[in-house]
Amino acid sequence: MNSQKTQNHQYIMSRQRLLLTLIVVAMTVHSSLAQQIKVIGQNVQNFFYSVDRGRTQGSGSISMSYYSTEAGRDTKLNAIVGTLSQYEADVYAFNEVECCAEVLQLLAQRMTEYTQKTYLPVADGLTYDKSTEPDGAIKSGFIYNATTVEPVGDNVTTAVGYKNVYPATMRMQAFKAKSTDEVFYISMNHFKASTSADPLYDTNQRESNSISLLKGLDQAVLDPDILVMGDLNSEMGEQCLNNLVDAGYTEQILEHEGSEAASHWYIADGSLIDHVFANSTMAAQITDARMLYVANPHSTGSYSTAYSDHDPYMVTLNLQAQPEVKYCYKKVNNVTPGRSYIMVFNDEMVANAVDITKTYEYLTISAVSPDGDVITLPSNRNSYKLEPVGDGTYFIKDHYGRYLYQYHNGTSYNSSTNAGTLKDAHAHNVTLQSDGTFHVHNILSNGNILYEKKYNTCSWRDWTSLNTGNYWPTLWEYDPDVTPSAITDVPVCRQPATTIKVVEQGRIIIKTPRGNYNVNGTY
């Protein structure tokens, strides 16, 4: 009998080893089929196609766009392309190019001549009126290697809510790798520079930039993989970048190069104000991200010969089969400052954020189906961060970086898109009640968050008790640092019929009918 048990055990172990071997082989084969993509970004400091603006080049530098002849333009063009062409990137993303079609066509044509590869511009339809803006207007734009990638869908602005220059300087484009058909998005951005007499004005403008950007990224519907790049004119720790981090994006240059990275040089001291952020599925496919210091002489102190005051940076992608994205939230009986939560009513309805095109509305709801104490959602756009005020109360900030507030005791929800002007007055008490629901109370207005069956929405009310069909919220917490000790800790993530790749709690997992694996083995 013992011999039979031993044989059965050995058989089971051999089958498990075989399964793991097959998975590793499959992953290795798939990895070999994955296409490596190189993306280079840079602020090229006012590169214009136009040469009729009545300016002359200043201080012997080719970095400024104040050339008044085609020869002056070609000097800067050759400096840009001569430097960046050596990397033969699949996509080049630029800040501060002239807001016209010709400038990207010129860059693509010259890149083709230097590399003997076919580069094309991404059409965006942007232009400006030279009669009203004789010094020119700038935009962000893309050129790409037509042999390896192709643009998919429209080139769109991510400056949702802006009417002036930002729709041209905050752009997003999806690209498809031709060898694998894998799709990813690049969002190239230029935030407000610190040029005003009032530094707080610039800081608030950048925070509004990031709030607008997070709204605009909702247009990425073809694929969840998103790179957010560009001259964001801010170092880590500023609120505009905190908003990106809170929304699930991680800074990749710091991740791969380290804290010494710098992109912009003030005489001698460099700072990292150009950034590459990635969401969780994109970050899992980034093999490298770093500054290219040797590419532009500005970083070495040769200011008179630099074509820009910003260094370029390069991101290397190893695109793989698209993971299925899952965000798991666990029901809680207490809250932790700084964590993200969804508000659920009667275990069947989750509150959404105020629509990205609006500044106020009754909160709409979506249906959910909890599995025990876990709810799994395809995105984190329903989540709210409880930001501590410092006295035991909380500001409530949505996925887009907007603070909820109540205007003139109204029953609909307002979201602050002007950083710092409204949030300070709208702190909330968050108190657990005996039935497991929470009393989320706006101290200023005396309003409480609740669901009203009559309107099928969430509203502010100063009620102390509820009628039948109305509900207080329960809170369900997401924490990317928490890893389940076993797959049974996340019961909604069941075993599939076939092998797939998913993202659970920010980690890529290979799920098979027999078990779950990551790069370190089995759970």
Side-chain angles (χ1 to χ4, degrees), residues 129-435:
D129 186 350
K130 294 181 183 179
S131 65
T132 59
E133 295 185 74
D135 288 340
I138 56 174
K139 68 177 181 179
S140 298
F142 308 90
I143 66 174
Y144 64 97
N145 184 338
T147 302
T148 58
V149 298
E150 63 180 336
V152 182
D154 295 330
N155 181 276
V156 298
T157 181
T158 54
V160 175
Y162 279 112
K163 298 179 181 179
N164 299 318
V165 67
Y166 295 108
T169 61
M170 296 170 62
R171 307 298 299 183
M172 182 169 68
Q173 179 66 53
F175 292 93
K176 180 171 70 175
K178 287 190 170 182
S179 68
T180 62
D181 287 338
E182 295 297 332
V183 175
F184 66 100
Y185 280 90
I186 302 177
S187 170
M188 188 62 169
N189 304 276
H190 192 188
F191 284 4
K192 177 68 175 70
S194 296
T195 55
S196 304
D198 180 6
L200 181 60
Y201 172 81
D202 293 329
T203 300
N204 287 342
Q205 283 293 99
R206 286 192 290 272
E207 184 172 355
S208 294
N209 282 140
S210 69
I211 292 170
S212 175
L213 171 62
L214 287 169
K215 298 178 189 178
L217 294 177
D218 272 5
Q219 299 168 97
V221 296
L222 300 176
D223 196 283
D225 296 340
I226 304 175
L227 280 178
V228 175
M229 300 168 33
D231 177 8
L232 306 186
N233 275 308
S234 52
E235 296 183 78
M236 296 301 294
E238 190 172 315
Q239 187 58 49
C240 64
L241 302 189
N242 290 344
N243 288 340
L244 295 177
V245 173
D246 290 343
Y249 290 81
T250 54
E251 215 292 342
Q252 295 299 303
I253 294 175
L254 292 174
E255 182 78 14
H256 290 269
E257 184 176 337
S259 60
E260 299 302 313
S263 65
H264 191 268
W265 301 79
Y266 302 93
I267 306 302
D269 297 327
S271 61
L272 188 67
I273 62 173
D274 299 81
H275 295 278
V276 175
F277 283 88
N279 63 355
S280 60
T281 59
M282 188 77 266
Q285 299 172 86
I286 293 176
T287 60
D288 195 25
R290 63 186 58 253
M291 301 304 306
L292 301 176
Y293 300 110
V294 297
N296 183 30
H298 190 278
S299 62
T300 62
S302 302
Y303 308 111
S304 63
T305 59
Y307 65 80
S308 174
D309 59 347
H310 292 255
D311 285 316
Y313 44 91
M314 183 166 68
V315 188
T316 305
L317 313 176
N318 186 27
L319 296 179
Q320 302 175 16
Q322 179 54 55
E324 177 186 356
V325 182
K326 292 184 177 181
Y327 292 86
C328 296
Y329 296 84
K330 289 189 175 183
K331 194 173 186 178
V332 296
N333 292 321
N334 55 72
V335 297
T336 302
R339 295 280 176 88
S340 293
Y341 298 85
I342 56 174
M343 294 185 290
V344 179
F345 303 88
N346 198 36
D347 282 354
E348 60 183 3
M349 299 164 288
V350 62
N352 301 314
V354 172
D355 188 273
I356 60 174
T357 63
K358 301 177 181 179
T359 58
Y360 67 92
E361 68 171 350
Y362 293 103
L363 295 187
T364 61
I365 56 96
S366 297
V368 291
S369 299
D371 192 332
D373 64 348
V374 174
I375 290 176
T376 299
L377 298 176
S379 82
N380 60 349
R381 293 170 185 165
N382 299 79
S383 64
Y384 289 87
K385 183 177 180 180
L386 296 183
E387 190 172 277
V389 177
D391 58 358
T393 62
Y394 302 91
F395 300 133
I396 301 178
K397 184 167 68 174
D398 69 14
H399 166 82
Y400 305 102
R402 303 171 299 175
Y403 293 88
L404 289 185
Y405 68 98
Q406 187 177 4
Y407 184 68
H408 287 306
N409 296 326
T411 55
S412 64
Y413 292 78
N414 296 75
S415 60
S416 171
T417 55
N418 296 313
T421 59
L422 297 166
K423 64 181 183 182
D424 293 336
H426 292 258
H428 300 75
N429 281 317
V430 181
T431 307
L432 178 68
Q433 301 181 114
S434 60
D435 61 355

Side-chain angles (χ1 to χ4, degrees), residues 33-62:
L33 295 176
Q35 181 176 347
Q36 179 174 283
I37 298 293
K38 291 188 291 186
V39 178
I40 286 180
Q42 188 178 18
N43 179 333
V44 290
Q45 197 178 8
N46 294 319
F47 177 57
F48 279 77
Y49 177 82
S50 302
V51 295
D52 57 352
R53 294 178 299 133
R55 297 283 189 95
T56 57
Q57 192 162 311
S59 304
S61 170
I62 62 173

Side-chain angles (χ1 to χ4, degrees), residues 42 78-87 114 294-297 307 312:
Q42 188 178 18
N78 288 329
I80 295 170
V81 176
T83 296
L84 299 181
S85 62
Q86 62 184 298
Y87 301 100
Y114 267 73
V294 297
N296 183 30
Y307 65 80

Side-chain angles (χ1 to χ4, degrees), residues 443-459:
I443 296 173
L444 178 70
S445 64
N446 205 36
N448 305 304
I449 293 178
L450 58 87
Y451 166 81
E452 289 190 82
K453 182 179 181 180
K454 179 179 179 181
Y455 304 107
N456 196 32
T457 55
C458 302
S459 59

